[in-house]
Amino acid sequence: MKVFMNGKIVKKEDAKISVFDHGLLYGDGVFEGIRAYNCLVFKLKEHIDRLFESAHTIMLSVPYSKKYIMDATIRTLQANRLRNAYIRLLVTRGEGDLGLDIRKCQGNAKLIIITDKIALYPRRLYEQGLKIITVPTIRNLPEALNPQIKSLNYLNNILAKIEAINAGYEEAIMLDSLGYVAECTGDNIFIVKNKKLYTPPQCMGTLRGITRDTILEIARQKDISTNEHVITRHEMYNSDECFLTGTAAEIVPVVNIDGRKIGRGKPGPVTKMLLEEFRKVTKKDGVKYKL
Ligand SMILES: *Cc1c(COP(=O)(O)O)cnc(C)c1O
């Protein structure tokens, strides 16, 4: 496996960072997860735009242009001869001293691109649907650490994931500070009620997922009403269908939440239709590359 690092494509063994990198010391940096389907990088521009927005907010100046990063992503895929891949792109603050002062890291930001294959959940879960639970750890407050920043500091989500795993579940629902549904540990959440689609708004601790936006777009094209407003646990329990969206997970049906059966307890027709349409979109849209 080869990794893009600091302008070069190197062997995985040689892709190393300093122990003084603030990405390691403080989770100070930003990232994106992107997918390539059959030599098409899906929503590459949208991901790079979001990466730059995350970086802008934390005052991290990305040492390369958007165009350069897009080309570098493709070069990394080609170097690994990957037709289908999950791409992890990160920018760390770089080497500094042991303090927090970002001025000490000036000019040291590092761009790393890793391309690999991952399946987030076992295949059978996509067919049978996932059982998930609400966990005690709430999503970061937007006033404290805005979830729109896709930051390398993922402990908020990791704590929630630990709670789900300790309880014997694969995935967790995180609420916001008011007790409304925010999102899962790395995925957005949708419910279907009376053939209408609902998902929490991005203002309250929900990351504006690119897969989420794609699903909203597909639904509108299919004349399904889409609603971005707050969702309570009660509404979730009494929904007809529920599913999660994210670049890594794609679209995962949910059939049970906190011990309550959702709909008929199996993946529903709207979820299946959206998944099928999503697959079609990933087959034709994207930035093309050759191997
Ligand atoms: C990345 C991420 C998502 C999903 O966003 P996509 O753009 O669809 O991949 C959802 N929630 C969190 C916390 C994330 O980090």
Side-chain angles (χ1 to χ4, degrees), residues 31-34 47 50 86 139 147 149-151 154 157 174 183-189 205-214 245-250:
F31 79 100
E32 279 298 320
I34 313 170
H47 282 285
R50 187 170 66 183
Y86 176 77
R139 193 72 178 95
I149 305 166
K150 225 174 150 73
S151 116
Y154 224 58
N157 316 61
M174 303 179 77
E183 60 178 333
C184 290
T185 61
D187 299 320
N188 291 115
I189 190 162
T206 302
L207 178 98
R208 181 157 169 211
I210 289 167
T211 318
R212 173 187 181 275
D213 280 357
T214 307
T245 66
T247 297
E250 303 175 300

Side-chain angles (χ1 to χ4, degrees), residues 97-250:
D97 63 13
L98 291 176
L100 297 177
D101 189 345
I102 64 167
R103 291 172 297 186
K104 304 281 174 58
C105 307
Q106 196 93 46
N108 296 342
K110 302 257 179 308
L111 168 68
I112 300 166
I113 306 171
I114 307 165
T115 55
D116 202 356
K117 300 193 164 168
I118 61 158
L120 207 63
Y121 305 109
R123 191 160 187 91
R124 75 182 155 78
L125 289 181
Y126 288 83
E127 283 139 29
Q128 295 169 3
L130 212 53
K131 292 183 178 182
I132 60 180
I133 56 159
T134 314
V135 295
T137 296
I138 63 163
R139 193 72 178 95
N140 280 332
L141 300 181
E143 304 89 317
L145 178 56
N146 196 318
Q148 302 310 329
I149 305 166
K150 225 174 150 73
S151 116
L152 290 184
N153 189 324
Y154 224 58
L155 274 177
N156 180 224
N157 316 61
I158 289 169
L159 285 172
K161 185 88 176 182
I162 289 170
E163 287 158 357
I165 290 167
N166 283 349
Y169 292 82
E170 288 296 321
E171 191 49 79
I173 291 175
M174 303 179 77
L175 305 176
D176 64 25
S177 60
L178 298 174
Y180 294 114
V181 176
E183 60 178 333
C184 290
T185 61
D187 299 320
N188 291 115
I189 190 162
F190 281 85
I191 59 171
V192 179
K193 180 78 173 177
N194 298 329
K195 305 230 155 46
K196 292 187 175 122
L197 203 54
Y198 298 85
T199 195
Q202 65 162 97
C203 58
M204 280 303 296
T206 302
L207 178 98
R208 181 157 169 211
I210 289 167
T211 318
R212 173 187 181 275
D213 280 357
T214 307
I215 288 297
L216 288 171
E217 217 175 278
I218 293 172
R220 284 181 203 121
Q221 280 163 11
K222 292 276 158 194
D223 284 325
I224 294 173
S225 137
T226 59
N227 306 276
E228 293 175 62
H229 72 63
V230 290
I231 297 175
T232 62
R233 280 184 296 148
H234 173 76
E235 286 164 324
M236 210 169 50
Y237 298 152
N238 291 287
S239 62
D240 301 328
E241 299 178 36
C242 175
F243 61 89
L244 313 180
T245 66
T247 297
E250 303 175 300

Side-chain angles (χ1 to χ4, degrees), residues 6 21 28-30 48 51-66 68-69 89-95 102-112:
N6 313 328
D21 193 306
D28 187 355
V30 294
I48 303 300
L51 179 82
F52 273 74
E53 286 188 5
S54 295
H56 183 67
T57 297
I58 71 163
M59 297 191 82
L60 170 59
S61 84
V62 181
Y64 303 97
S65 70
K66 288 185 181 179
Y68 180 92
I69 297 178
L89 204 155
L90 46 138
V91 183
T92 74
R93 185 78 67 183
E95 219 175 313
I102 64 167
R103 291 172 297 186
K104 304 281 174 58
C105 307
Q106 196 93 46
N108 296 342
K110 302 257 179 308
L111 168 68
I112 300 166

Side-chain angles (χ1 to χ4, degrees), residues 19 22 44 71 76 104 135 147 150 164 194 206 214 254 256 261 268 270 285:
V19 293
H22 280 206
L44 180 57
D71 291 344
T76 314
K104 304 281 174 58
V135 295
K150 225 174 150 73
N194 298 329
T206 302
T214 307
V254 172
N256 190 295
K261 191 156 90 174
V270 177
D285 289 0

